[in-house]
Amino acid sequence: MNGSKLSWVEKYKPKTLDEIVGNDAAKKDFIDWLQRWDRRGKAAMLHGPPGVGKTVLVEVAASTLGYRLIETNASDTRREDYLENVIKPAAFNRSLFSSRLMIFFDEIDGISREDSGALNFILELIESSRVPIVMAANDPWSPNLFRIRDKVYMIPMHRIRVQSIVKRLRDICRNEGVRCKQEVLMLIAGRSEGDMRAAIEDLELLYSSREDVDLEEAEKILSYRNVEKNIFETLRMVAFAPTLEKASTSLSSSEEKPEDILEWVFENVPHVLPRQSLYRSLRYVAEADALFKQISKNSLWRILPCFYHKLASAFLVAPQKNRASFSFPTRMRERFKRFQHEKNFRELESFFMKDLHVGRSTFRRDLIPLLRLLSKNEDFRRSMLNRMVDQHLKELYSSVILGEARKRFS
Amino acid sequence: MSVADLLWVEKYRPRSLDEIIDREEVVSRLKSFIKIGNVPNMLFVGPPGTGKTTAALALVNDLYQGSASGRFLELNASDERGINTIREVVKDFARSRPSTGVPFKILILDESDNMTQDAQQALRRIMERYASVTRFILLANYQWGIIEPIQSRCAVFRFPPLSPTHIREGLIRVLEKEGVSWSEEALEEIIKASRGDMRKAINIAQSASGGSKRLTKESILQVVGVLHPREIREMINEALNGDFVSARKRLAKLLYDDGLSANDILREMNNELMSVEMDERKRLQVVNALGEANFRVSMGADAEIQISTVLAALVADLK
């Protein structure tokens, strides 16, 4: 969660062309195209399913051939000022001496057909740019792209073979010092459907917190991830949606329960938005939360779309940080633990509240810190425990007041 | 055996209205109710440690002249089963009408401003329906946390923070009985840290005296930070430094590990926000966010999500 620890996907991102696994033909094709490129303004489009290395190929090729990359994603293309002030000057960079530039439109199929401004801008750019234009798309046959498709050099990229993925995963395991069973690696690679990024994400999920996993356990954990994967995909679509309507539709067509989607958005907004936009964004989340409580209490399900609008807006207030990575909501992970902890609190406080005439808030705010302090004194602790007849109560006291629970829950 | 004698706050809680320090006006009005043998529904409003529970219990004790058991009940309103429990209790009360003496029973509802609006609406109907056999004493930190129709059915009593003189008086009374000696500057420290909260003052004194039976300035300063957690200020500072994720983690710790109520966190944040150094326009935005959060939480929205917006307002720079 804090930026200090890289995810494995980031950590093992290829740095040279050789490190990019699979798609040898596409690699060669793209490098050739770039080397052939002359200032006559033609663009290339890498297309293929997610996680096969489109973005990585562009990044590595650029650095290998000495280009400076100007990256944009679908959420940037919403912003006319960005196109005018950043992309346009780069495209018409006339200086012969400054570093060579390459413009990269990632996830270009995310541009909405209605956003004719951005589409026209890109079409015009393809005709007249003085620097190479590269695009990446999952679905090049998307109707949004038909005008662009005719004008660009298409380079297909394919799913990565299972064997290649297994080999890569094994290298990572060796480097991380984890023991991995061949059948688990096969399971991960098979499930990934040729998506290297997904495979490495799964590998990290299995091994980052433990050293050994058997097949059965892996199957269990990864089947859980199926659901997770859907919501990841949904969030990605929302975060990069070009219009509110699209974002909102992505949310409402998700299979997740509305209250779970709220959790996902609440968790991830701070991870993917710049600090400056947090307040505006979280206000939408807070409104969505309040609204949802009203909806479920009063059965106002017909206004559920408003709830999705608000959640979508939470992402759309600002362009995302590049390459956003989403995390599983802490609140959902901790739900059970917190429930248990709260139950312990309540049992304990019902014992104290009677004798001490305090309410719940007072108990938590004033009494718990007091009891913790006083209990450092041996005599006090003993007298207190002597007054508790019930063994269970004594245990609660030890765990909640004497601090064992704090270690567990911090 | 009860744990009450282990904690000074409870051990030395005034049992009768006559023993109560300060609050002359409240006490004299309550005494006049006792004289006529009838009490209205009441709302005691004030910050923690200002004598609300003590006054309610003392009133009950004086009213029933020591034989109060079975004639009053204390309930905590922040329990979500609260309103159903209250309904059951009141029904039971109604069935077992006391044959002699005072013709009604008393229900003390602690932390009633923690009840949701809906629960309060239900409470209002219960109050009306069983008015002949039950009197309610509602205890609350904020008057505005109680819905208008309930307020208008109650005699409102205010419990402002105690003056330094009265905190001193109360402290000395306890310390003398416990045979603890003190230095003048130790007493000053306690009074300062208590901010008019008698419970806090006595708690500090008890935890600082330890086994030694002597209060020094040093021993006080050691415990003050623990009893008056600095975590809320730290959370605010983290947010001000732009580290929203850490601030939110700390908020989660306060809410879930320490189990603090949203109201307590918001109140403490409000206090801190007034003294933290920041641009006045920003303070306006932050306090505004705080108000909104407070309102939505009282309407049943999620505490962590709502309070997070206040943290985000702290993170934002104003242009």
Side-chain angles (χ1 to χ4, degrees):
Chain A
M1 227 186 313
N2 43 27
S4 60
K5 198 172 151 274
L6 280 182
S7 71
W8 288 6
V9 172
E10 286 295 322
K11 191 170 168 188
Y12 295 103
K13 201 177 196 176
K15 309 226 168 17
T16 65
L17 287 168
D18 286 341
E19 283 174 23
I20 299 177
V21 175
N23 280 305
D24 291 337
K27 274 198 287 190
K28 183 169 180 307
D29 204 2
F30 182 53
I31 297 290
D32 284 351
W33 176 82
L34 259 181
Q35 282 171 335
R36 279 202 320 266
W37 192 85
D38 58 21
R39 295 168 174 258
R40 236 164 303 132
K42 186 118 162 101
M45 182 189 290
L46 299 168
H47 60 91
V52 297
K54 299 183 292 292
T55 307
V56 165
L57 177 54
V58 174
E59 287 172 352
V60 172
S63 75
T64 308
L65 299 179
Y67 282 98
R68 194 155 70 78
L69 202 60
I70 312 279
E71 282 194 65
T72 66
N73 56 43
S75 80
D76 296 323
T77 58
R78 282 201 303 272
R79 295 163 48 212
E80 218 175 300
D81 60 324
Y82 184 80
L83 295 176
E84 275 307 314
N85 300 329
V86 178
I87 301 300
K88 208 168 196 177
F92 300 108
N93 179 357
R94 277 160 204 280
S95 159
L96 291 170
F97 304 104
S98 67
S99 65
R100 299 198 292 171
L101 298 177
M102 185 195 307
I103 294 172
F104 177 33
F105 292 100
D106 205 353
E107 310 183 38
I108 186 110
D109 42 349
I111 294 184
S112 132
R113 205 190 326 193
E114 290 79 49
D115 195 356
S116 56
L119 284 174
N120 286 334
F121 180 91
I122 292 170
L123 277 169
E124 210 173 293
L125 211 62
I126 293 173
E127 296 293 341
S128 53
S129 169
R130 302 178 143 258
V131 308
I133 310 259
V134 184
M135 305 169 203
N138 287 334
D139 176 16
W141 317 116
S142 144
N144 302 348
L145 296 182
F146 83 100
R147 282 159 68 205
I148 289 181
R149 210 159 44 219
D150 296 338
K151 304 236 188 279
V152 299
Y153 184 66
M154 303 278 280
I155 303 175
M157 290 184 77
H158 303 289
R159 296 178 197 283
I160 300 169
R161 289 181 18 247
V162 171
Q163 261 64 28
S164 310
I165 291 184
V166 169
K167 184 169 169 297
R168 181 83 184 128
L169 296 182
R170 198 180 301 118
D171 290 344
I172 293 176
C173 284
R174 199 172 302 133
N175 203 40
E176 290 289 331
V178 293
R179 267 166 297 155
C180 51
K181 296 194 169 63
Q182 177 71 8
E183 69 253 35
V184 174
L185 294 189
M186 290 294 288
L187 172 76
I188 298 174
R191 289 170 34 92
S192 73
E193 299 180 7
D195 180 338
M196 182 69 92
R197 181 173 48 215
I200 297 177
E201 275 173 4
D202 281 353
L203 186 75
E204 183 175 7
L205 180 77
L206 288 183
Y207 287 101
S208 60
S209 55
R210 70 213 110 183
E211 292 198 335
D212 198 13
V213 182
D214 63 24
L215 185 61
E216 199 186 337
E217 202 183 342
E219 271 171 346
K220 227 181 278 165
I221 295 171
L222 293 180
S223 71
Y224 178 53
R225 188 163 169 82
N226 257 348
V227 185
E228 212 177 291
K229 218 174 207 158
N230 293 336
I231 183 86
F232 274 123
E233 205 38 58
T234 304
L235 289 179
R236 212 164 283 163
M237 276 161 67
V238 175
F240 294 113
T243 61
L244 174 64
E245 194 200 349
K246 261 207 159 156
S248 201
T249 314
S250 299
L251 284 178
S252 58
S253 52
S254 160
E255 286 167 28
E256 301 289 319
K257 287 185 285 185
E259 58 265 48
D260 286 350
I261 295 183
L262 174 71
E263 294 292 340
W264 280 89
V265 174
F266 176 61
E267 171 73 34
N268 282 296
V269 152
H271 303 321
V272 301
L273 285 181
R275 258 177 27 198
Q276 273 312 308
S277 320
L278 262 188
Y279 178 46
R280 283 208 297 155
S281 173
L282 275 175
R283 279 173 67 179
Y284 281 119
V285 180
E287 279 170 25
D289 165 51
L291 183 64
F292 189 74
K293 297 281 151 48
Q294 292 301 314
I295 290 177
S296 50
K297 198 176 77 189
N298 303 318
S299 288
L300 298 169
W301 298 102
R302 69 198 140 76
I303 60 170
L304 195 61
C306 303
F307 167 77
Y308 288 120
H309 283 327
K310 286 196 188 296
L311 278 188
S313 308
F315 274 126
L316 297 183
V317 292
Q320 320 296 308
K321 293 177 192 164
N322 257 342
R323 209 98 31 263
S325 70
F326 299 102
S327 17
F328 191 91
T330 320
R331 284 151 54 94
M332 284 168 81
R333 205 175 47 228
E334 306 272 295
R335 216 174 254 169
F336 182 69
K337 237 165 48 178
R338 285 173 179 171
F339 172 77
Q340 280 297 330
H341 188 53
E342 178 66 21
K343 216 175 115 214
N344 290 345
F345 257 132
R346 294 204 175 180
E347 278 183 60
L348 194 66
E349 74 195 14
S350 65
F351 170 74
F352 281 102
M353 271 153 55
K354 268 194 302 254
D355 280 351
L356 300 179
H357 309 286
V358 291
R360 171 167 300 148
S361 299
T362 310
F363 179 75
R364 310 268 173 105
R365 186 190 57 233
D366 289 336
L367 243 94
I368 292 217
L370 176 71
L371 290 173
R372 282 191 177 136
L373 260 180
L374 293 177
S375 296
K376 286 184 183 159
N377 182 309
E378 183 71 41
D379 290 340
F380 181 89
R381 195 163 61 231
R382 204 173 315 117
S383 330
M384 185 56 87
L385 286 169
N386 279 340
R387 283 166 168 73
M388 298 175 172
V389 196
D390 189 353
Q391 184 59 31
H392 177 59
L393 206 58
K394 290 185 187 189
E395 279 164 21
L396 280 179
Y397 186 78
S398 313
S399 80
V400 176
I401 306 292
L402 304 183
E404 282 139 50
R406 286 181 75 74
K407 262 172 243 141
R408 242 186 305 129
F409 289 101
S410 60
Chain B
M1 210 192 323
S2 155
V3 295
D5 64 312
L6 289 177
L7 299 173
W8 295 358
V9 248
E10 192 48 44
K11 195 171 166 186
Y12 300 109
R13 190 194 284 280
R15 304 290 170 214
S16 154
L17 289 173
D18 289 325
E19 296 170 33
I20 289 176
I21 294 174
D22 202 353
R23 325 273 91 130
E24 285 90 4
E25 206 195 305
V26 172
V27 166
S28 76
R29 276 174 74 194
L30 293 180
K31 279 184 173 168
S32 69
F33 293 145
I34 294 176
K35 203 178 282 169
I36 59 169
N38 197 0
V39 301
N41 290 320
M42 289 179 277
L43 173 58
F44 291 1
V45 183
T50 51
K52 301 183 294 296
T53 306
T54 299
L57 291 171
L59 169 77
V60 167
N61 197 44
D62 290 355
L63 185 67
Y64 298 113
Q65 288 154 17
S67 55
S69 94
R71 292 174 162 182
F72 88 105
L73 201 77
E74 267 182 286
L75 287 177
N76 187 355
S78 29
D79 208 311
E80 49 280 358
R81 293 161 306 173
I83 194 64
N84 288 326
T85 318
I86 293 169
R87 194 177 284 120
E88 291 310 308
V89 165
V90 173
K91 270 190 194 160
D92 277 354
F93 269 4
R95 261 195 294 266
S96 62
R97 187 185 290 258
S99 49
T100 55
V102 184
F104 54 82
K105 300 188 178 189
I106 289 182
L107 196 73
I108 300 174
L109 256 188
D110 205 351
E111 298 177 4
S112 23
D113 47 349
N114 281 357
M115 291 175 104
T116 61
Q117 310 271 313
D118 291 334
Q120 292 193 31
Q121 290 294 351
L123 174 64
R124 164 197 162 187
R125 283 188 289 275
I126 296 174
M127 287 171 78
E128 278 166 1
R129 178 136 184 242
Y130 296 98
S132 58
V133 282
T134 318
R135 299 291 182 277
F136 285 81
I137 305 181
L138 307 181
L139 313 184
N141 291 143
Y142 299 109
Q143 184 170 359
W144 44 258
I146 303 292
I147 58 170
E148 181 59 37
I150 289 187
Q151 283 189 40
S152 64
R153 282 168 178 75
C154 288
V156 179
F157 292 80
R158 267 167 231 294
F159 291 70
L162 277 83
S163 70
T165 330
H166 289 111
I167 294 275
R168 171 187 299 268
E169 188 186 335
L171 269 174
I172 292 178
R173 195 192 278 182
V174 170
L175 292 174
E176 278 176 344
K177 284 189 185 139
E178 278 292 323
V180 172
S181 62
W182 66 87
S183 71
E184 187 50 35
E185 49 178 4
L187 221 52
E188 286 298 327
E189 278 311 318
I190 302 182
I191 292 167
K192 201 168 78 190
S194 73
R195 291 200 230 165
D197 176 341
M198 185 60 108
R199 184 193 290 113
K200 187 171 274 167
I202 296 176
N203 283 348
I204 294 173
Q206 182 176 13
S207 34
S209 73
S212 73
K213 297 266 166 202
R214 169 150 187 80
L215 285 183
T216 62
K217 187 178 175 185
E218 290 66 41
S219 61
I220 304 291
L221 290 177
Q222 252 174 11
V223 300
V224 163
V226 185
L227 288 182
H228 179 167
R230 297 263 169 267
E231 287 212 61
I232 290 194
R233 166 154 287 199
E234 276 165 37
M235 174 174 79
I236 289 175
N237 284 334
E238 278 167 343
L240 278 173
N241 291 332
D243 189 354
F244 175 81
V245 173
S246 297
R248 185 170 70 173
K249 261 189 203 157
R250 202 178 287 276
L251 172 63
K253 178 190 172 291
L254 292 167
L255 279 169
Y256 309 120
D257 289 358
D258 299 344
L260 290 181
S261 73
N263 275 347
D264 280 333
I265 294 177
L266 284 164
R267 177 179 39 232
E268 201 53 42
M269 284 178 83
N270 192 55
N271 289 341
E272 293 290 343
L273 285 173
M274 293 305 148
S275 58
V276 166
E277 205 171 296
M278 75 176 99
D279 181 86
E280 279 305 314
R281 279 189 313 149
K282 180 165 181 170
R283 199 189 310 277
L284 214 63
Q285 171 173 305
V286 173
V287 170
N288 190 34
L290 189 116
E292 233 163 88
N294 222 330
F295 169 71
R296 292 213 186 105
V297 169
S298 76
M299 298 293 287
D302 183 273
E304 189 187 347
I305 293 179
Q306 299 301 331
I307 301 177
S308 285
T309 60
V310 187
L311 299 178
L314 282 162
V315 168
D317 289 327
L318 286 182
K319 292 222 183 69

